[in-house]
Amino acid sequence: MAKLKNTSVGRRGFLKGAAAGAAVSAATLVTPQLTEAQQQGAGRGGRGGGQGGAPQPDGSAIAREDGTARPAPVSRIVENPGSDYMCDVIKALGIEYVSFNPGSSFEGLHESLINYTKNNPEIITCTHEENAVAMAHGYAKACGKPMLALLHGTIGVQHAAMAIYNAYGDRVPIVMIAGVGDTAVPAHTAVDLGAMVRDFVKWDHQPDTLTGVGQALIRAYKLAMTPPMAPVLVTVQAELQMGAMPANRPQVPKFTMPSAPSADLASVRQIAKDLVNATNPRIAAGRVRTQEGMDQLVQLADLLQCPVAGGGDRMTFPNRHPMAGNGAGGAADVILSLEAGGGGGGGRGGAAGGKTIVISTAELLATHNYNINGNGVNGDVYIAADPEATLPALIEEVQKLMTPDKKRLFEDRGKKHAEANRAARATAAEAASVGWNASPVSLARIAAELWPLIKNEDWSYVSPQNFAGNWANRLWDMKKIYHYLGGQGAGGMGYGAPASVGAALANRKNGRISINIQTDGDMNYSPGILWTAAHHRIPLLSIMHNNRGYHQEVMFIARAASIRNRGQENSHIGTRLIDPNIDYAMMAKAYGMYSEGPITDPKDLAPAFKRGIERVKKGEPVMIDVVTQPRG
Amino acid sequence: MLSRSLAAKEIMKKLVFGILAPASALGLLAVSALAQQGDAGRGKKMFVDYSCYACHGFSGQNGPGRRLVPMKMANVAFTAYVRSPGTNQMPSYSAKVLTDAQLADIWAYIKTLPDSPEAKDIPLVQQLKAEAGK
Ligand SMILES: Cc1ncc(C[n+]2csc(CCOP(=O)(O)OP(=O)(O)O)c2C)c(N)n1
Ligand SMILES: [Mg+2]
């Protein structure tokens, strides 16, 4: 084989053979015998390698790898392929987008998506599987439902792994299908394909029949969407996609979404009593799922006149509500902790000496190998249930216990909390003046200049805020569930850029302006996402937070060097993205995106942002490179 | 802003070379005198090389570290603080890593960094503050 590879004659011979329509194996130059199963099922003659035994590497495999292979001639027509049925199920689930980097293990499904369902759901072409999954991650956070990501056998799943892990840590639903049993390249199939990501998906399954694929997809969707939500994986054999549908086309299985688990009434009544009788109750709101959940939380806080700490990750509570914040001093005697802690971070709560009541689905998701949720939140009372599903009953019970005396009392304490929160917000906003004229540009200045341009629009902040100093949270009026979508989930960088594009895809149909404050390190993991945004006309304003480095790590290395008393003058090695500086405006242009920058004078921000927003409103993605201070 | 800091740097350079350069020839005995003034030009490079910028910003006032501008500490107090900040958040810098003279250079550089305008003088910040504090 090595000889064949090294001789141009050999390769030319192979190509000639392939072009002439002969089903060849380049190693032997003889027509392989198709197994019965291949002939009946896959109909992909000439790929070599039987399904049953371990396929041996052969010349056609090598040819595929080095890009010289051509699809084998179609020896048999399959007019009703199994993958058409799979598309019926995918449509029945209401899936609107399918993201993938193409691969032959799901070519059957790919072909059905373009020619059977006519690109509806819409295919989103991704340049990396990590992008395909991270897009689905951002999308689900922006619109509350999963999209589908397709992954190529073995290698595609490997590329996707970190993005799956982030979504799992973030409790975000994604439906994934991986192709398996593609016999073309032995390295691209596995005995147990799901194994490598099994520790960080909620469920995976590999059905044996077409009917089984339909059932598995329905089950996968239900599991993904039932709190605690998480990614799920169905591995689908190539021959079930390529083979003919049975004479009796399988039915799309019945699909009924389970309701989320809620607390029992006795517990709810006790919690209501504890809250109403408390002197200084507080709510630590880690996570709500929908706008209704957020509205209910507002209702509860209004009733109790108690502070709500959002915890910083994702929207749970309007940031300018009088009860938003830590409120006036005094130790809490009761803390209601709602889906707090975990990979999503934030809102941990915990009352020193007081009583902590936890309502969370964290204990319903056993994580294997990876201790994603840490040790969770400890409670004096712990209800394993979805807070949002429990809130309506809790509100009702609190209302029942309210008396005119209580109401007066609560209103009095509410006034103190509201005043403390108001003052804290004003002080936080005032701090934006620090470094106002600095060059490189301060993160506060970016957020400050953006706000007047978007505040009368429908907008969504789609990237993580923590690396940008949380300035939007300090300066912007965030009151909708989609006003901020939170962080990576499991801290995996390379999330920000693709998740922002995914969220912007979800926001597109609402005409919402998506805003991404894009760190440079994150951008460089898989910059092809810029092309995906441009190609699919996904409106998104990306503003580079270009601090020219992996700044988080600069700080860590500086500290380590200090502990060792060795000096910091080498801290830039392995941490900074300088020499040469990366030109992000040129990068975006190369991928077909409008761009400006690098901006170094803060006075240039507002006009550039204005131009950018104009274009985004017309439906384009835009990149504006701003050279920034290292941190907020 | 840039021109302001450059001008300051130039002044500092003149000061340092005009008054102190001959003193450096006197060797170690002169170090403490040097340390009193510092060379802002050299300090600028060390502010970056020794990662001060990482936590205090290139501006000396943006980031997780405390605001260093305007620098109100005297050189001696500054040096003492950097030697042992007494917190885990700010790394300590021993004399092995940065000499007193080098710290004086950094201190001199920080003193050249322009202060921020006051919040009350920035209309946009006033507007944001009023909205946030409603
Ligand atoms: C996949 C991955 N690799 C490495 C890290 C370690 N890491 C944490 S923060 C960080 C720096 C990221 O740089 P950038 O996105 O530019 O943010 P900055 O720290 O500069 O604000 C890195 C590399 C990580 N979290 N994830
Ligand atoms: Mg960076």
Side-chain angles (χ1 to χ4, degrees), chain A residues 320 422 425-426 430 433-439 448 451-452 455 551 554 558 562 565 567-569 571 576 629-630, chain B residues 1 49-51 53-54 57-59 61-62 67 91-94 96-97 116 119 122 127-129 131-134:
Chain A
R320 287 183 185 170
R422 194 199 59 73
R425 282 198 302 274
E430 195 164 32
S433 64
V434 177
W436 185 254
N437 294 322
S439 173
W451 179 240
K455 69 178 190 182
H551 190 72
V554 175
S562 159
N565 199 19
Q568 271 83 346
E569 67 269 43
S571 303
R576 297 217 62 200
Q629 293 289 328
Chain B
M1 183 231 105
D49 287 353
Y50 286 84
S51 306
Y53 87 93
F58 290 107
S59 59
Q61 49 200 306
N62 294 105
R67 205 172 158 178
S92 61
Y93 292 78
S94 72
K96 177 191 156 197
V97 168
S116 305
I122 310 169
Q127 183 194 321
L128 290 165
K129 186 184 165 189
E131 276 183 36
K134 240 192 281 179

Side-chain angles (χ1 to χ4, degrees), chain A residues 114-138:
Chain A
I114 51 180
N115 290 326
Y116 174 67
T117 55
K118 308 269 183 254
N119 203 23
N120 176 23
E122 187 185 342
I123 288 170
I124 305 294
T125 313
C126 289
T127 59
H128 194 303
E129 289 80 356
E130 188 169 291
N131 288 348
V133 174
M135 268 191 81
H137 186 168

Side-chain angles (χ1 to χ4, degrees), chain A residues 263-264 266-278 280-286 297 300 304 332-341 347-361 376-385 387 390-391 394 398:
Chain A
D264 62 287
S267 301
V268 170
R269 287 192 171 136
Q270 185 57 49
I271 297 168
K273 240 184 242 166
D274 286 342
L275 287 169
V276 170
N277 293 332
N280 191 4
R282 272 142 201 273
I283 299 172
L297 203 49
L300 184 64
L304 294 168
D333 53 352
V334 172
I335 288 196
L336 178 64
S337 165
L338 303 174
E339 202 74 17
R348 204 155 253 279
K355 182 175 185 178
T356 299
I357 302 162
V358 178
I359 305 176
S360 173
T361 61
V377 178
N378 282 325
D380 300 291
V381 177
Y382 200 120
I383 319 279
T390 306
L391 276 172
L394 183 58
V398 168

Side-chain angles (χ1 to χ4, degrees), chain A residues 90-123:
Chain A
I90 290 163
K91 278 190 85 90
L93 291 170
I95 282 171
E96 293 177 293
Y97 298 101
V98 184
S99 55
F100 61 75
N101 185 250
S104 55
S105 59
F106 59 82
E107 70 193 9
L109 194 48
H110 183 169
E111 196 279 340
S112 289
L113 284 165
I114 51 180
N115 290 326
Y116 174 67
T117 55
K118 308 269 183 254
N119 203 23
N120 176 23
E122 187 185 342
I123 288 170

Side-chain angles (χ1 to χ4, degrees), chain A residues 162 467 491-493 519-522 525 545 547 549-553 630-631:
Chain A
M162 188 202 78
F467 283 53
M493 301 302 286
T519 61
D520 55 339
D522 181 274
Y525 285 94
H545 165 14
N547 59 16
Y550 299 109
H551 190 72
Q552 186 69 41
E553 305 305 318
R631 268 282 176 282

Side-chain angles (χ1 to χ4, degrees), chain A residues 128-152:
Chain A
H128 194 303
E129 289 80 356
E130 188 169 291
N131 288 348
V133 174
M135 268 191 81
H137 186 168
Y139 173 89
K141 288 211 260 190
C143 71
K145 67 180 211 173
M147 59 184 257
L148 176 64
L150 304 186
L151 306 172
H152 191 21

